[in-house]
Amino acid sequence: MPNRFYITTAIDYVNARPHVGHAYEKVLADAIARFHRQRGDATFFLTGTDEHGQKIAQAASAAKQDPQAFVDSIVEHFKTTWKTLGVSYDKFIRTSDQRHTLAVQELYRRLWDARSPKTGDPVLFEEDYEGLYCDGCEEFKQEKDLDSKGRCPIHGKPPRKIRETNFFFRLSEYDDALLAHLGAHPEFIEPDYRRHEVMNVVKDGLRDVSLTRTNVPWGVPLPEEIPNSQGHTAYVWADALLNYLTAIGWPERKYSLWWLAKESEVGGVGATRQDEFQHLDGQGRPGAAWAGTMQPLFTNALHLIGKDISRFHCVLWPALLLAAGVPLPRQVYIHGFINMRGEKLSKSRGNVLDPLELAKLGGPDALRFYLIHAIPTGRDGEFTHEQFAEHCNTHLANDLGNLASRTLTMVHKYFGGETPKEWSPATLRDGAARAALEALIGAASEAAAEVPAAFHELRLHEALDAAWQPVVRANELIERVKPWVLAKDPERRTELATALSALLETLRLVAGWAWPAIPGKSEELWATLNLPGKPGELRGDDAKPRYGDPAFAGRKVEAPQILFPRIELKADAAAG
């Protein structure tokens, strides 16, 4: 039965153009969204840009531009990059949108009305505060959060000391609720080692957090109904996190069409009843989360984020939702960093890589393949131009590209460009050839089960590993069968036809299985094979091996083209 699947990425801070670290997350999310569309799920994929805050104002000032004009220009670079890389989002949200601004103000109204779960005190309160503030993280830091030289470990700079009168959020009273949820629903944070990290943070004790800033005019002003709010703007993280709701209609009830789902239609693991925290109902707007539904609904949102912002998504965001009377997301999946020579790629370190330039080396799908396959999902990964070239040349140009080229060349040379009609594995005289064919069919049968399972469980690199096993076996089959030898003997035509039919079916399957990761090249291969439909619609029995199926026989195929050109690095690129 088709499910409802809602996936979000972190929205990107637009104080500079996108780098390959941004691209990694978007490509991962896109492959996951494409997989769910392919299997027939109703799917909504959200990304966007975070456009408020002090860093944006400073970057705009340095560029001698108005903040709005500055973010408008940078946003176009993000959109162009995602279009080039085939990122098929359903909505691109900008936090400078007027509708989002109004929703942020509504969040603060609800928080102003809310009471904390332990003492019953207002969750928002005004207080003077002096502390260390990291502009890069947009976060107050404690001494224990800094390295031995007093610097932010992420941005490598010491935070500055500031003193402000702000509105604080009573985060310290939500520790029990968060730990209860994580204990009852461990799938809420994946991978599991990230969940343990977050639980340790909560167990160590939560501190109340400043939820407004003064002297930062480029932001969402607090609603005037809140006393003493003049001159305060929303904390950039509260502003940014709310995009996951405002993009789908919050605070109107229509947001629940994606945020929630029937139990039989949830998009993955970790779903909980929307009324799990019903004992907190009435703390904010009465009945905000569960009024007006005829049957229990379940949480359904998947947030895909980087490990540097896990505390905001796994601690602050759930607490804000509980205070506002909104059900939690279904799951937060935390991916790792891309490093270059052991250091995280970041704008502050000056070691960023332009994904558009990388895409020029081997094409957008080559970059997508490397990011998804070479970096284990959930772990940190290394990127160098040499590794990129070697990985893509090995798996794309040599394995899949050569298989497609050799197969199509032989079909044209030996069968006039028409797929063979004969299929009889028993006619293969050579025992090694029969064993190779059996190994190919076995690998394809295993991949038919493992590829969707791995995609569904967010093991994307393993999904491609499984999809590539039949490719390896198919190339081995060519070496065992030696079609060029069989072609010289008319009595062995059925053997030749059987071998080429097996190769063609392998290409069909891999074009479908790999489509979420390399959609452009999969569609190109699909068209060359002259197959009906589209690889993005391959599901059910059609996504399973159909070796020897006469439905695919007697079909004209296109002449072979170079599917994946080899990546040849220039000296300057190879040095990076």
Side-chain angles (χ1 to χ4, degrees):
M1 178 181 293
N3 294 330
R4 300 185 65 78
F5 185 74
Y6 178 39
I7 184 170
T8 73
T9 69
I11 53 175
D12 297 313
Y13 213 55
V14 290
N15 58 336
R17 296 186 181 189
H19 57 70
V20 74
H22 297 117
Y24 174 56
E25 182 173 288
K26 306 308 176 289
V27 166
L28 278 183
D30 182 71
I32 296 167
R34 285 179 181 272
F35 164 72
H36 281 273
R37 293 192 193 109
Q38 185 184 52
R39 70 193 298 269
D41 292 340
T43 301
F44 195 94
F45 170 22
L46 172 69
T47 192
T49 44
D50 181 2
E51 302 181 15
H52 289 138
Q54 189 161 306
K55 284 195 298 184
I56 300 293
Q58 291 171 344
S61 176
K64 298 181 179 180
Q65 285 185 285
D66 169 80
Q68 187 65 60
F70 175 78
V71 297
D72 287 346
S73 65
I74 297 294
V75 163
E76 291 308 310
H77 291 292
F78 279 85
K79 288 184 174 180
T80 297
T81 301
W82 304 154
K83 182 178 180 180
T84 299
L85 295 183
V87 177
S88 58
Y89 55 80
D90 294 288
K91 185 177 178 65
F92 189 99
I93 188 170
R94 301 180 57 183
T95 58
S96 62
D97 292 343
Q98 180 63 18
R99 194 191 177 287
H100 177 78
T101 295
L102 295 175
V104 171
Q105 291 177 330
E106 174 61 18
L107 171 67
Y108 276 77
R109 291 188 190 95
R110 296 190 182 199
L111 295 177
W112 182 250
D113 287 343
R115 295 295 180 266
S116 60
K118 293 183 178 180
T119 63
D121 292 330
V123 299
L124 274 189
F125 60 95
E126 193 174 10
E127 185 171 277
D128 293 337
Y129 185 77
E130 182 177 72
L132 300 173
Y133 193 82
C134 174
D135 292 313
C137 294
E138 294 281 13
E139 180 186 23
F140 281 103
K141 297 287 187 181
Q142 300 178 53
E143 295 286 352
K144 67 178 183 179
D145 299 325
L146 308 179
D147 65 16
S148 60
K149 296 182 179 180
R151 301 173 303 184
C152 169
I154 296 174
H155 295 94
K157 297 179 180 179
R160 59 192 178 89
K161 183 174 289 188
I162 62 174
R163 182 180 180 85
E164 294 180 344
T165 300
N166 296 334
F167 284 92
F168 278 72
F169 174 64
R170 217 173 291 274
L171 179 64
S172 59
E173 294 202 27
Y174 286 88
D175 52 353
D176 290 347
L178 294 175
L179 290 173
H181 184 71
L182 288 169
H185 309 287
E187 305 94 342
F188 180 66
I189 301 174
E190 291 287 350
D192 58 355
Y193 50 89
R194 301 295 182 201
R195 180 176 65 255
H196 297 317
E197 291 173 358
V198 172
M199 292 185 75
N200 287 335
V201 169
V202 178
K203 289 176 181 178
D204 284 345
L206 300 178
R207 290 165 55 94
D208 297 337
V209 60
S210 173
L211 216 58
T212 68
R213 295 294 307 279
T214 55
N215 305 313
V216 183
W218 181 240
V220 177
L222 261 60
E224 59 186 18
E225 301 97 303
I226 297 178
N228 303 323
S229 64
Q230 187 174 4
H232 288 262
T233 52
Y235 177 38
V236 67
W237 271 106
D239 174 1
L241 289 164
L242 196 66
N243 90 88
Y244 305 132
L245 286 172
T246 59
I248 52 175
W250 192 88
E252 299 176 29
R253 281 295 305 177
K254 63 182 180 181
Y255 87 94
S256 63
L257 293 175
W258 290 108
W259 194 257
L260 301 172
K262 297 177 182 177
E263 186 174 14
S264 61
E265 296 178 356
V266 294
V269 299
T272 62
R273 280 176 61 117
Q274 63 175 348
D275 56 357
E276 178 189 15
F277 290 98
Q278 194 164 7
H279 59 284
L280 299 181
D281 193 17
Q283 303 286 1
R285 300 280 176 165
W290 16 85
T293 56
M294 299 299 293
Q295 60 180 321
L297 295 178
F298 288 74
T299 57
N300 197 44
L302 168 63
H303 297 327
L304 180 68
I305 61 155
K307 65 180 184 180
D308 55 333
I309 55 175
S310 61
R311 294 188 187 187
F312 297 107
H313 284 79
C314 301
V315 179
L316 177 60
W317 178 227
L320 290 174
L321 292 174
L322 292 177
V326 179
L328 305 188
R330 172 173 60 82
Q331 186 179 65
V332 181
Y333 190 93
I334 303 169
H335 64 77
F337 287 155
I338 295 181
N339 299 321
M340 176 179 279
R341 309 199 189 286
E343 283 196 337
K344 174 182 178 283
L345 295 176
S346 73
K347 291 171 286 190
S348 59
R349 287 190 170 93
N351 62 349
V352 297
L353 296 168
D354 184 346
L356 292 181
E357 293 301 315
L358 293 174
K360 290 178 183 178
L361 294 175
D365 275 5
L367 178 57
R368 288 175 62 105
F369 181 84
Y370 181 85
L371 294 175
I372 296 171
H373 185 234
I375 302 173
T377 318
R379 297 287 185 179
D380 290 350
E382 184 78 10
F383 188 100
T384 67
H385 287 85
E386 296 94 338
Q387 289 172 321
F388 173 49
E390 180 181 1
H391 195 87
C392 292
N393 287 342
T394 298
H395 297 285
L396 297 179
N398 294 352
D399 288 349
L400 181 56
N402 273 347
L403 176 63
S405 178
R406 297 172 79 184
T407 301
L408 291 166
T409 296
M410 289 188 289
V411 170
H412 275 270
K413 184 175 181 179
Y414 304 138
F415 289 88
E418 186 173 292
T419 56
K421 298 178 181 178
E422 298 93 340
W423 173 261
S424 181
T427 62
L428 291 173
R429 300 178 188 177
D430 185 80
R434 288 195 304 273
L437 178 58
E438 291 172 0
L440 168 58
I441 295 174
S445 297
E446 291 177 6
E450 176 60 13
V451 170
F455 267 118
H456 193 71
E457 296 168 10
L458 307 184
R459 297 181 284 113
L460 274 66
H461 63 296
E462 293 182 9
L464 292 183
D465 274 343
W468 246 248
Q469 289 306 305
V471 176
V472 173
R473 298 300 179 211
N475 281 313
E476 291 174 354
L477 177 66
I478 294 176
E479 300 306 316
R480 298 291 184 272
V481 171
K482 298 180 174 56
W484 51 90
V485 174
L486 299 182
K488 297 176 182 179
D489 187 348
E491 294 186 1
R492 305 189 72 178
R493 183 124 179 121
T494 299
E495 290 181 72
L496 178 62
T498 298
L500 293 185
S501 294
L503 300 179
L504 288 165
E505 172 61 2
T506 302
L507 290 173
R508 181 189 77 88
L509 290 169
V510 174
W513 292 335
W515 177 81
I518 51 172
K521 289 299 183 179
S522 291
E523 290 167 6
E524 184 179 326
L525 177 58
W526 195 268
T528 302
L529 296 172
N530 196 23
L531 291 164
K534 301 176 182 178
E537 298 171 351
L538 193 70
R539 63 180 67 107
D541 289 341
D542 288 338
K544 299 177 181 178
R546 294 170 60 180
Y547 289 95
D549 192 328
F552 297 126
R555 184 182 70 257
K556 284 286 185 179
V557 296
E558 302 295 327
Q561 303 291 331
I562 297 176
L563 190 63
F564 291 101
R566 290 185 61 82
I567 298 175
E568 304 293 344
L569 296 178
K570 297 179 181 179
D572 56 344

